[in-house]
Amino acid sequence: MTYAIDLGKIKFVWQGNYNAATTYTRDDVVYHNGNAYVCVVASSVNQDPSTATSQWNKMVQGSDL
């Protein structure tokens, strides 16, 4: 007997600079205002990662050095 298991995304997917017109999905990572953010919902579009904390988590804090 063979079973198929859908693992979905099992790693982060770098998407580059945040673009409000792009639809992001869970585990997509973007660069925005000097920080990196990871999408934590099934779908996010036009939600600023620095303010939409229910849809994005800060992954890496940037530095002003």
Side-chain angles (χ1 to χ4, degrees):
M1 182 176 282
T2 304
Y3 294 97
I5 298 173
D6 181 8
L7 297 176
K9 288 184 180 179
I10 57 174
K11 63 178 182 170
F12 294 115
V13 179
W14 179 251
Q15 297 293 336
N17 290 330
Y18 172 75
N19 181 335
T22 300
T23 299
Y24 297 99
T25 59
R26 183 175 286 120
D27 296 332
D28 283 346
V29 179
V30 297
Y31 177 79
H32 183 62
N33 292 339
N35 302 310
Y37 295 88
V38 61
C39 183
V40 295
V41 293
S43 179
S44 178
V45 63
N46 198 22
Q47 297 296 319
D48 186 327
S50 61
T51 59
T53 57
S54 64
Q55 296 187 14
W56 295 92
N57 286 344
K58 188 182 289 183
M59 184 177 205
V60 177
Q61 174 75 39
S63 173
D64 61 354
L65 297 177

